[in-house]
DNA sequence: ATAAATTTTTAGACTAACCTAAAAAATATA
DNA sequence: TATATTTTTTAGGTTAGTCTAAAAATTTAT
């Protein structure tokens, strides 16, 4: 139905649409896919032909309902494979993205349904991102950035915003693990750094870190 | 390193070389890959550039040592994925080929090593075909076609020659399962059909079937 | 409101992987 | 051995997906 490349475009547009109201610009897509805006223009014309996006020259693109569902399914596959790699093949959470990037393009509805069952129908991937259901629906939980918590507030660490290996490895080193309770002990005014406790340990983290960690308020 | 298409060519040449002494003709490759001989000529030139095959105009191609190792690794991936699909995801042996055909192209050495371990280092795929080791070496066991057995001889059913879904589903229907002991009760002269026993059942099978089942003599 | 800067599209070109039709080489046949 | 048949290669063309450079549209700044 869709080529490897078309699928990557769809997924990118899907992600970009999640945090933006307006049409997605060719430049934004190009930046994400590390390609050129002119290549994006060509591709969005094709995607428009295939009725997965609405494209108005100079106005950017938006996914159609069909496009959204198609894209969500690719995201579903990506995240399920990530769970598989971590849970079953002992990959660490900073190693899975690249491989999932390939696996997400495997075409077999049975494969993905069986995988889902094999993994006991996970709801989130190793980075705390929600896994779309078969119909492409995302159930979004209300989560806040750690940086928005006040002194003495606490919550469960449920996800990361930046999921680069560098950041993930940094979290590993600090001992910050998804699913653990984090309490803000102290909040420094002048640099917005935090003193937190997690698993009986106390540690100090910068605002940059706090801006990339999601907390579900208790 | 190699494109999806190059990998498919390598794998095809590898399989064709297993039962042929001479160079593999462009026509043979074209037939297998359902493409045209002229396309094959183009591709073998490229593969020759990349030093995975030796190509002499009008003389066919042969894999180099490097090409053989590369091809064996693709076959290794294909067969490990087939095991995974059957053992872990409840696919039946007639459904796995198409999906493995896609999965074999996923590039990640760690993935395949971990998968191998996860599956407890299987030596054969669901069709009884051997899985090459990390270095591309195949350990071939001596097996015979069921059609070569004489009356009252017996052996373990270890593989199929034809692994089309039609044939595999036919075997399922008949109750012929890999790993089971088969005894030849009777051999008809005029049509080479056999009366066999398997798992306490007696059944009659045609020569065509007997020519597509491998037996390890007891 | 005009001009300048930025963004986006168009035009033209490239490569990979195919194709068809024609030419050339190898093989089979008389 | 000469001729006919088959196999293989070459020549030229197509499509997908990419690129650079130039043109056009939009946005920002004066
Ligand atoms: Mn991808
Ligand atoms: Mn993820
Ligand atoms: Mn393949
Ligand atoms: Mn197989």
């Amino acid at each position: 139905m869709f080529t490897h490349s078309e699928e990557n475009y769809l997924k990118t547009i899907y992600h970009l649409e999640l945090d933006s109201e307006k049409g997605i610009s060719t430049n934004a897509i190009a930046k994400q896919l590390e390609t050129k805006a002119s290549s994006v223009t060509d591709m969005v014309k094709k995607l428009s032909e295939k009725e997965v996006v609405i494209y108005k020259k100079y106005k950017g693109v938006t996914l159609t309902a069909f496009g959204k569902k198609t894209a969500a399914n690719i995201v579903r596959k990506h995240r399920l494979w990530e769970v598989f790699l971590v849970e079953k093949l002992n990959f660490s959470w900073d190693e899975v993205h690249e491989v999932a990037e390939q696996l997400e393009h495997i075409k077999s509805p049975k494969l993905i349904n069986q995988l889902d069952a094999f993994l006991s129908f996970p709801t989130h991937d190793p980075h705390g991102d929600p896994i779309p259901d078969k119909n492409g629906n995302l159930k979004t939980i209300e989560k806040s950035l750690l940086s928005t918590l006040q002194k003495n507030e606490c919550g469960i660490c449920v996800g990361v915003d930046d999921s680069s290996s560098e950041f993930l490895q940094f979290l590993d080193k600090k001992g910050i693990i998804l699913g653990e309770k984090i309490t803000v002990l102290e909040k420094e005014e002048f640099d917005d750094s935090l003193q937190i406790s997690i698993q009986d340990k106390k540690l100090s983290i910068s605002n940059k870190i706090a801006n990339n960690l999601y907390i579900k308020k208790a």
Side-chain angles (χ1 to χ4, degrees), chain A:
Chain A
M1 198 64 183
F2 294 97
T3 67
H4 195 104
S5 187
E6 288 169 342
E7 289 190 345
N8 282 336
Y9 274 88
L10 279 175
K11 192 170 56 118
T12 298
I13 297 165
Y14 177 84
H15 286 312
L16 290 170
E17 267 194 356
L18 288 182
D19 28 40
S20 133
E21 303 305 299
K22 301 161 293 181
I24 307 304
S25 72
T26 48
N27 255 349
I29 298 167
K31 189 175 179 184
Q32 201 66 32
L33 287 171
E34 299 180 84
T35 183
K36 297 297 148 86
S38 54
S39 306
V40 176
T41 302
D42 282 352
M43 182 57 97
V44 297
K45 282 175 180 169
K46 187 155 37 124
L47 292 175
S48 170
E49 293 279 302
K50 291 198 170 187
E51 317 216 314
V52 279
V53 303
I54 306 287
Y55 167 56
K56 299 281 182 209
K57 272 188 197 176
Y58 296 98
K59 301 296 176 189
V61 301
T62 44
L63 291 170
T64 62
F66 173 46
K68 206 165 293 181
K69 187 173 174 176
T70 305
N73 196 250
I74 301 162
V75 171
R76 171 173 162 79
K77 291 194 277 179
H78 184 105
R79 292 181 179 164
L80 282 173
W81 280 115
E82 285 190 342
V83 173
F84 170 73
L85 294 172
V86 167
E87 300 284 312
K88 304 293 183 181
L89 299 195
N90 292 110
F91 275 62
S92 61
W93 68 342
D94 62 295
E95 298 175 310
V96 297
H97 187 75
E98 190 195 359
V99 186
E101 204 58 42
Q102 299 177 60
L103 286 163
E104 71 191 0
H105 301 290
I106 303 293
K107 278 148 186 90
S108 165
K110 175 161 186 172
L111 172 60
I112 211 64
N113 287 335
Q114 296 294 100
L115 184 64
D116 193 23
F118 183 59
L119 300 171
S120 309
F121 309 102
T123 57
H124 293 80
D125 83 358
H127 312 108
D129 292 314
I131 298 173
D133 68 21
K134 286 177 202 183
N135 304 311
N137 299 118
L138 270 185
K139 102 155 69 74
T140 39
I141 59 167
E142 6 61 66
K143 57 188 181 184
S144 333
L145 285 175
L146 174 54
S147 53
T148 66
L149 292 205
Q150 300 308 312
K151 179 170 174 176
N152 293 322
E153 284 189 311
C154 68
I156 305 297
C157 184
V158 293
V160 296
D161 189 46
D162 170 7
S163 60
S164 66
S165 355
E166 297 77 47
F167 181 57
L168 298 176
Q169 282 171 19
F170 175 84
L171 295 180
D172 283 343
K173 202 169 63 185
K174 286 276 182 180
I176 296 170
I177 299 164
L178 295 203
E180 294 298 326
K181 183 179 171 185
I182 290 181
T183 308
V184 176
L185 304 174
E186 212 60 66
K187 196 163 184 176
E188 297 295 342
E189 281 304 320
F190 73 101
D191 69 349
D192 292 310
S193 71
L194 301 174
Q195 291 286 335
I196 65 169
S197 74
I198 180 170
Q199 279 189 320
D200 306 324
K201 294 187 308 277
K202 290 185 170 71
L203 43 97
S204 157
I205 61 173
S206 69
N207 178 250
K208 181 167 182 187
I209 306 304
N211 262 321
N212 278 306
L213 272 176
Y214 287 115
I215 300 297
K216 185 177 168 188
K217 284 183 185 159

